[in-house]
Every structure is written in structure tokens, then in C-alpha cells.
Amino acid sequence: MKKRHQQKLIILSVGLLLAFNMPLLLLFDSSEAVLGLPLIYIYIFSVWLLSILVSLFVFMRYYE
């Protein structure tokens, strides 16, 4: 794997570490619901989906 792809994945990991850190999670921990789902669930699963898509993009560029 090229060095720049490793660097992108490390940046993604640090970003996920910050996104799933407790102070940021507490911002979304409220009693509000969107489409019947609590706001924190939407935040967690959207960040998770975004991280999967970004890592897929990095790996697709790696195998070219």
C-alpha cells in the first residue's frame, strides 16, 4: 500500500476517534427524534456509513 493511502486511513481513524469521543456524542444525546429514531442513533450510524464510504473510496483508488 502506498504511503499516501496509509496516511489517508490514519487521518480517517483519528477523525473517527474524535467523532466517537464522549463530549461530541453528548451533543447529540437529546430526547429529540427524527423519523422516530433518536438523534444519537442517526449521528452514530451516519458517521459509521460515512467512514465506510471514505475507506471504500481509498481502497478503490489503491487497487487501480
Side-chain angles (χ1 to χ4, degrees):
M1 183 178 289
K2 293 182 181 178
K3 192 71 165 177
R4 61 187 169 138
H5 296 299
Q6 289 177 350
Q7 291 172 349
K8 289 177 185 176
L9 292 175
I10 289 172
I11 290 171
L12 176 66
S13 299
V14 170
L16 286 174
L17 181 68
L18 293 174
F20 289 128
N21 202 356
M22 187 55 74
L24 193 58
L25 282 175
L26 288 176
L27 289 176
F28 296 98
D29 190 23
S30 65
S31 61
E32 295 180 26
V34 176
L35 298 174
L37 294 171
L39 193 59
I40 193 164
Y41 289 167
I42 293 173
Y43 171 73
I44 288 173
F45 287 117
S46 63
V47 169
W48 186 29
L49 178 66
L50 183 67
S51 70
I52 290 171
L53 292 176
V54 168
S55 62
L56 177 71
F57 178 73
V58 169
F59 279 115
M60 292 295 285
R61 299 273 301 195
Y62 168 67
Y63 286 120
E64 284 182 349

